[in-house]
Amino acid sequence: MAVPRLVLHTLLLVESIFLYYAVIRLRDAGRRCASHPLPQPSQAAQVTQRSNLNTIYVVTPTYTRPTQMADLTRLANTLRLVPNVHWLVSEDRNTTSASVAELLAATGLSYTQLAAWRPAELVGKVIGRGVFNRRAALDWIREYGQESGVIYFADDDNSYDVRIFEEIRQTVGVSVFPVGLILKYGVSSPIVQNGKVTGFFDAFQAGRRFAMDMAGFSVSVRLFKSRPEATFPAKVSFLEEGFMRSLEVPKEDLEPRAMLCTKVWVWHTRTEKAANPKMEHIAGWEDSNLPQLYKGLYAK
């Protein structure tokens, strides 16, 4: 039976009216969403969440060389990814340098720039590298560091997975973990058995009780401050050993991190040596940008 034309027209009219009001309601809903967006975490809330984390005091000894700025820049870019870090950059010189100061200011990180030169009586003698730089940073931490914080010694030419910093942040006393690219074994690592550190796997033993790399441990500020005599010795190749002994922490109390020392999240990389810029290279270009450029590169 054919449907009368009048009925069809009526149905089409009703559908058109429903569609019209549906479009109007969608438009109004869109306007309400635009004027009342979903609540977002406030900046203050985000800052509070980050401030609830304990601070990692990253100690980096450094010295003037052609690759210094490149190495520090790479490390700075890693630290930018880690919340609540205070970077202590300690230079091996009498006074802090303008170029390092400029780099640090550009990072946006919380930092302190220090300078420490070896005493005159030790100039020319063979001692451990970076001893007095690190001692200067420890002096600063002993005076200003928060007891809830953690100390980590990060050389500027190493490579770091950001996960290692979250492992470090959990330190209660002393945390230990593997370091890759170390000597002939290709790694330096604590030996962990039944969840406890029982020894150290390292190509350089030499009678060391704590045969570790500098990048392979972290220390709580609270523990460090409770040991007034804790510091680095000047003896070559025994900086880690001497410092650990000064902390008076038994081996069985060490905290194995990085999945019970089964993961490598820090590597002892070394930047390839680069040529030293010399002012003689730019002879004849005194009226250009090159003199200022070379001055920033410590050209002589």
Side-chain angles (χ1 to χ4, degrees), residues 58-62 72 75 79 87-91 133-134 137 152-157 160:
V58 177
V59 175
T60 300
T62 188
L72 287 173
L75 178 52
L79 296 180
W87 195 13
L88 291 151
V89 178
S90 190
E91 300 185 69
N133 311 45
R134 293 185 179 95
Y152 181 56
F153 300 98
D155 288 352
D156 56 10
D157 57 351
Y160 306 88

Side-chain angles (χ1 to χ4, degrees), residues 263-275:
K263 298 292 183 181
V264 174
W265 287 333
V266 53
W267 295 265
H268 198 283
T269 50
R270 296 179 183 273
T271 306
E272 184 177 338
K273 289 186 178 181

Side-chain angles (χ1 to χ4, degrees), residues 8-22:
L8 288 173
H9 287 173
T10 302
L11 290 172
L12 288 172
L13 177 62
V14 172
E15 286 185 2
S16 298
I17 293 172
F18 274 114
L19 285 171
Y20 172 77
Y21 281 106

Side-chain angles (χ1 to χ4, degrees), residues 96-170:
T96 57
S97 65
S99 57
V100 171
E102 183 180 353
L103 183 149
L104 291 173
T107 64
L109 293 166
S110 172
Y111 70 88
T112 298
Q113 184 182 9
L114 302 167
W117 191 258
R118 68 172 64 187
E121 63 270 19
L122 293 179
V123 173
K125 295 185 178 180
V126 179
I127 64 172
R129 293 178 60 181
V131 171
F132 296 97
N133 311 45
R134 293 185 179 95
R135 284 183 182 178
L138 289 178
D139 288 344
W140 187 95
I141 292 171
R142 199 175 288 282
E143 183 170 356
Y144 301 109
Q146 299 175 358
E147 290 202 352
S148 60
V150 181
I151 305 166
Y152 181 56
F153 300 98
D155 288 352
D156 56 10
D157 57 351
N158 286 350
S159 299
Y160 306 88
D161 185 313
V162 293
R163 287 175 290 184
I164 197 61
F165 293 98
E166 295 316 311
E167 294 288 296
I168 288 167
R169 203 185 301 276
Q170 300 174 43

Side-chain angles (χ1 to χ4, degrees), residues 15-276:
E15 286 185 2
S16 298
I17 293 172
F18 274 114
L19 285 171
Y20 172 77
Y21 281 106
V23 170
I24 293 298
R25 294 187 67 180
L26 285 171
R27 182 199 66 186
D28 292 344
R31 287 176 177 174
R32 285 195 299 273
C33 288
S35 59
H36 301 286
L38 292 174
Q40 299 291 329
S42 66
Q43 185 175 3
Q46 292 174 13
V47 170
T48 300
Q49 290 170 5
R50 294 167 69 90
S51 64
N52 285 340
L53 296 173
N54 53 330
T55 300
I56 301 175
Y57 294 97
V58 177
V59 175
T60 300
T62 188
Y63 64 98
T64 302
R65 61 194 188 280
T67 62
Q68 183 185 33
M69 293 298 104
D71 289 335
L72 287 173
T73 298
R74 183 176 57 217
L75 178 52
N77 288 338
T78 298
L79 296 180
R80 283 190 180 109
L81 303 174
V82 184
N84 283 45
V85 162
H86 186 83
W87 195 13
L88 291 151
V89 178
S90 190
E91 300 185 69
D92 187 8
R93 49 186 292 146
N94 285 322
T95 59
T96 57
S97 65
S99 57
V100 171
E102 183 180 353
L103 183 149
L104 291 173
T107 64
L109 293 166
S110 172
Y111 70 88
T112 298
Q113 184 182 9
L114 302 167
W117 191 258
R118 68 172 64 187
E121 63 270 19
L122 293 179
V123 173
K125 295 185 178 180
V126 179
I127 64 172
R129 293 178 60 181
V131 171
F132 296 97
N133 311 45
R134 293 185 179 95
R135 284 183 182 178
L138 289 178
D139 288 344
W140 187 95
I141 292 171
R142 199 175 288 282
E143 183 170 356
Y144 301 109
Q146 299 175 358
E147 290 202 352
S148 60
V150 181
I151 305 166
Y152 181 56
F153 300 98
D155 288 352
D156 56 10
D157 57 351
N158 286 350
S159 299
Y160 306 88
D161 185 313
V162 293
R163 287 175 290 184
I164 197 61
F165 293 98
E166 295 316 311
E167 294 288 296
I168 288 167
R169 203 185 301 276
Q170 300 174 43
T171 300
V172 177
V174 177
S175 290
V176 292
F177 35 85
V179 181
L181 305 179
I182 299 289
L183 301 177
K184 66 179 182 179
Y185 293 162
V187 69
S188 172
S189 176
I191 299 171
V192 179
Q193 296 172 306
N194 298 319
K196 292 287 187 179
V197 175
T198 59
F200 295 92
F201 182 78
D202 190 282
F204 178 70
Q205 293 289 330
R208 294 191 298 164
R209 190 188 310 167
F210 301 95
M212 297 187 293
D213 184 77
M214 187 68 70
F217 66 92
S218 57
V219 181
S220 77
V221 174
R222 182 173 288 105
L223 172 63
F224 170 67
K225 287 191 173 186
S226 73
R227 304 289 191 266
E229 303 303 318
T231 191
F232 283 100
K235 187 177 180 181
V236 177
S237 300
F238 281 83
L239 272 64
E240 301 90 341
E241 176 75 5
F243 182 64
M244 290 298 298
R245 290 193 182 196
S246 72
L247 291 173
E248 301 175 2
V249 176
K251 184 169 55 181
E252 55 270 20
D253 288 348
L254 299 177
E255 304 155 33
R257 303 291 178 186
M259 297 187 179
L260 291 177
C261 297
T262 62
K263 298 292 183 181
V264 174
W265 287 333
V266 53
W267 295 265
H268 198 283
T269 50
R270 296 179 183 273
T271 306
E272 184 177 338
K273 289 186 178 181
N276 287 300

